[in-house]
């Protein structure tokens, strides 16, 4: 168990920790000289509950709240200290508000310096404490008078802490490692050391970890957990990790960094969150208000953009936190906000979405999405997210951003449908399929002569609208299941065959023979056919364009159509030209020689290949893009093609 102190300056936090543990947590010379705590102090003792209890001693000074916050993040139990002579003071209240915002619900109040107060005074301060705690998660915390001078109450307080320790279930250490760094220093012989409370997972000697947001890789060389040399540390323990790595050094790491399992690394500087404004605030939060954001051990400046109605004091609502720089975080981590000049705590809450959008962040769809994200249970959250716009979730991102253990991730995704990395509700996929079939059937009916509907037009017409990066996987999946056919850039229903009208088909039959044969590399143009057949140019062009959409021909340059089989043959010639060179880069002349065509047409053909991504161009040189070499292969017409 980790116990964290809280309370006003000089109320006896450090003295109490010393009395309970025998350790003076004020290590710094300056701390001793001035009699105040400046840095976080740490002490460990065996309270007789069968384990080592860790104490984090925080400063009470109003200007050191950021340090208190860095220490309060990982604690299990709050030891709230109120001096019997002074009573409840400003930082008593502020620390309490912070503990409440951080969701710390276990704690006890030590009425310190009890030797300085008579019975009446003690009773008055105790009543005041109860009143102050009312309405917070710590409302039921016991109040115990203690004195480090007379020793009064220390035994009772120790017993209270030991009982709490026995009552706290061991935290699960499933899931990826997360350890917010509250100190980093170098130790002769041991190298770079970072300390902090393990929020999740476990860490063993030899583990490869990352520091986030910097992304520096490190190897764990040594571990102290709860002040003992160990082989591994786990969630809920205070650990000191000795780290090794090429760029690892004291200067490269600071408080606020997080030691994480590498898979979690995805720093963010725009987080959508649920913010509760403290009732003590004088007015609703202004739009884009500058604040200090504290989460884990990090404290940085940020701006708060309310996403819904203005948040009144004492109320909660969705906001976007725009951070001065990226940090490592997870959903649903807690955070606390202080005002820009760092004089008071404003409020706090939980993160809902680590990838808040910059634009369209206030739409009803977005607010519905955030409302769904509020559910802390991952399975329920996923179900609710899939029921809200945009009706799909990128599963690996969801798992990473919630730092889910494998078993939790599997449980969360059970019963959902998959398209590549995306999950949807079964009902959504059914609706998507239905809208796809209806859309294509409608298109075929009004455009019987066309091969099919363009992929992008189809994507934009479907509900829900899948992102461009995911749509090809959906089409591929549906094609494999035989529900549609993919032909180049077009999609059609399996039973649809593009049909030209009898007149158009007759014209095509006139033209087709002249496109093939020996002249196939330099076929006549639209105007030539018009003259030859006595058909208006516009008609020839229209019929050839229809044939292009049916995959019979390709329009290499304006009004210049080649048979699809010829296009495929020319791709092979280009590939041969590339094979002749040492590095695969060839000049246009090599291609022209193989085709025995004019230079201008050869260049037009290569430009056409460039446009379709079949070739990649660098100055006068080109090479074949192996991923698209089959684009015009008639046998491969089912292959998925995304526009280059
Ligand atoms: N009479 C009396 N004095 C105490 C008791 N406990 C602490 N003190 C004195 O109160 C002063 C402050 O104690 P600390 O423990 O340093 O207070 P703190 O809350 O840790 O202070 P910060 O960490 O700076 O906020 C010291 O001079 C202590 O000797 C007590 O039980 N009785």
């Amino acid at each position: 168990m980790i116990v964290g102190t809280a309370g006003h300056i000089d109320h006896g936090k450090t003295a109490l920790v010393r009395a309970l543990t025998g350790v003076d947590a004020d290590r710094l010379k300056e701390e001793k000289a001035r009699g105040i705590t400046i840095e976080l102090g740490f002490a460990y003792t065996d309270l007789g509950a069968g384990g080592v209890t860790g104490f984090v001693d925080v400063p009470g000074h109003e200007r050191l709240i950021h340090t208190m916050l860095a220490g309060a993040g990982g604690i299990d139990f709050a030891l709230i200290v109120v001096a019997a002579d002074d009573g409840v003071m400003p930082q008593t209240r502020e620390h309490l508000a912070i503990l409440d915002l951080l969701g710390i619900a276990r704690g006890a109040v030590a009425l310190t310096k009890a030797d300085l107060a008579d019975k009446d005074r003690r009773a008055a301060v105790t009543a005041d404490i109860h009143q102050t705690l009312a309405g917070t998660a710590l409302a039921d915390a016991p109040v115990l008078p203690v004195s480090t001078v007379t020793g009064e109450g220390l035994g009772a307080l120790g017993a209270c802490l030991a009982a709490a320790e026995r009552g706290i279930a061991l935290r699960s250490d499933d899931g990826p490692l997360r350890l917010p760094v509250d100190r980093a220093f170098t130790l002769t012989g041991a190298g770079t050391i970072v300390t902090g409370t393990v929020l999740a997972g476990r860490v063993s000697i030899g583990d490869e970890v990352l520091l986030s947001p910097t992304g520096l890789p490190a190897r764990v060389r040594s571990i102290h957990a709860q002040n003992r040399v160990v082989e591994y540390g786990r969630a809920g323990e205070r650990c000191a990790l000795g780290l090794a790595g090429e760029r690892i050094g004291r200067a490269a790491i600071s408080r606020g960094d997080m030691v994480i399992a590498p898979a979690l690394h995805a720093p963010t500087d725009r987080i959508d969150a649920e913010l509760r404004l403290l009732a003590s605030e004088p007015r609703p939060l202004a739009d884009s208000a500058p604040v200090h954001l504290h989460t884990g051990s990090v404290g940085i400046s940020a701006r708060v953009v309310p996403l819904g109605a203005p948040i009144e004091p004492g109320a909660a609502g969705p906001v976007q936190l725009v951070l001065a720089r990226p940090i490592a975080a997870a959903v649903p981590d807690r955070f606390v906000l202080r005002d820009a000049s760092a004089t008071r705590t404003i409020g706090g809450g939980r993160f809902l979405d680590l990838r808040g959008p910059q634009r369209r962040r206030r739409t009803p769809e977005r607010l519905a999405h955030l409302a769904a994200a509020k559910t802390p249970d991952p399975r329920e959250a996923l179900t609710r997210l899939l029921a809200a716009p945009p009706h799909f979730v990128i599963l690996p991102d969801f798992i990473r951003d919630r730092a889910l253990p494998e078993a939790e991730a599997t449980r969360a995704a059970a019963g959902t449908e998959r398209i590549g990395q995306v999950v949807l509700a079964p009902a959504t996929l059914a609706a998507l399929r239905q809208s796809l079939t209806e859309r294509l059937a409608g298109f075929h009916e009004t455009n019987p002569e066309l091969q099919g509907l363009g992929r992008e037009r189809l994507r934009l017409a479907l509900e829900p609208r899948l992102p461009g990066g995911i749509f090809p996987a959906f089409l591929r999946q549906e094609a494999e299941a035989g529900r549609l056919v993919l032909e180049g850039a077009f999609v059609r229903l399996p039973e649809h065959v593009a049909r030209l009208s009898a007149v158009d088909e007759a014209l095509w039959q006139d033209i087709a023979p002249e496109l093939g044969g020996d002249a196939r590399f330099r076929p006549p143009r639209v105007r030539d056919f018009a003259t030859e057949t006595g058909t208006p140019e516009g008609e020839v062009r229209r019929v050839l364009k229809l044939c292009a959409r049916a995959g019979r021909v390709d329009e290499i340059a304006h009004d210049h159509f080649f048979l699809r089989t010829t296009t495929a043959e020319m791709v092979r010639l280009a590939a041969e030209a590339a094979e002749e060179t040492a590095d695969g880069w060839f000049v246009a002349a090599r291609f022209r020689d193989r085709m025995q065509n004019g230079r201008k047409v050869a260049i037009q053909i290569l430009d056409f290949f460039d446009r379709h991504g079949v070739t990649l161009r660098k100055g006068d040189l080109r090479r074949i893009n192996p991923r698209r070499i089959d684009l015009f292969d008639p046998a491969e017409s089912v292959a998925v093609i995304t526009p280059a």
Side-chain angles (χ1 to χ4, degrees), residues 21 48 51 54 81 96 164 167 180 201 211 217 223 235 241 275 314 321 352 364 368 518 520 527 533-534 537 572 611:
T21 66
V81 169
L96 273 172
L211 282 143
I223 305 176
L241 309 181
L275 169 70
L321 304 165
L352 300 179
D518 289 347
R520 64 191 186 282
R527 184 184 306 150
T533 59
E537 246 180 76
R572 284 198 297 279
R611 280 201 301 281

Side-chain angles (χ1 to χ4, degrees), residues 574 577-588 590 615-624:
E579 269 164 35
E580 259 176 17
T581 65
D583 57 0
W585 290 94
F586 63 94
V587 290
R590 278 188 189 272
T615 48
L616 302 170
R617 179 172 171 190
K618 202 167 67 183
D620 285 339
L621 294 173
R622 288 182 173 81
R623 69 175 178 82
I624 299 290

Side-chain angles (χ1 to χ4, degrees), residues 14 84 116 168 178 181 189 219 284 351 353 403 423 451 471 503 567 598:
T14 308
L116 299 181
I168 289 179
R178 301 180 70 220
V181 173
R219 195 172 45 79
F351 296 151
D353 186 338
V423 288
Q451 178 188 9
F471 195 60
V503 179
T567 313

Side-chain angles (χ1 to χ4, degrees), residues 460-543:
L460 297 177
L462 296 187
E463 202 48 57
R465 185 179 294 180
L466 293 177
I470 283 141
F471 195 60
F474 172 59
L475 289 182
R476 209 178 302 137
Q477 196 169 300
E478 295 303 294
E480 274 163 20
R483 281 187 281 269
L484 52 80
V485 175
L486 301 175
E487 282 169 345
F490 300 102
V491 186
R492 66 170 170 88
L493 289 175
E495 58 275 16
H496 172 74
V497 187
R499 255 189 301 274
L500 294 187
S501 69
V503 179
D504 291 350
E505 186 65 35
L507 180 59
W508 163 249
Q509 293 302 338
D510 278 353
I511 290 171
E514 303 213 26
L515 290 171
D518 289 347
R520 64 191 186 282
F521 293 139
R522 51 188 95 67
R525 291 176 163 78
V526 166
R527 184 184 306 150
D528 306 325
F529 287 123
T531 319
E532 206 176 300
T533 59
T535 314
E537 246 180 76
E539 276 302 286
V540 176
R541 185 177 299 119
R542 184 183 59 78
V543 169

Side-chain angles (χ1 to χ4, degrees), residues 375-385 398 402 404-405 408-409 411-413:
T375 323
D377 176 69
R379 183 183 163 84
E380 221 180 296
L382 189 59
T383 307
R384 291 192 56 198
L385 283 170
F398 178 82
R402 289 195 177 232
L404 295 186
E408 275 291 292
R411 189 178 73 88

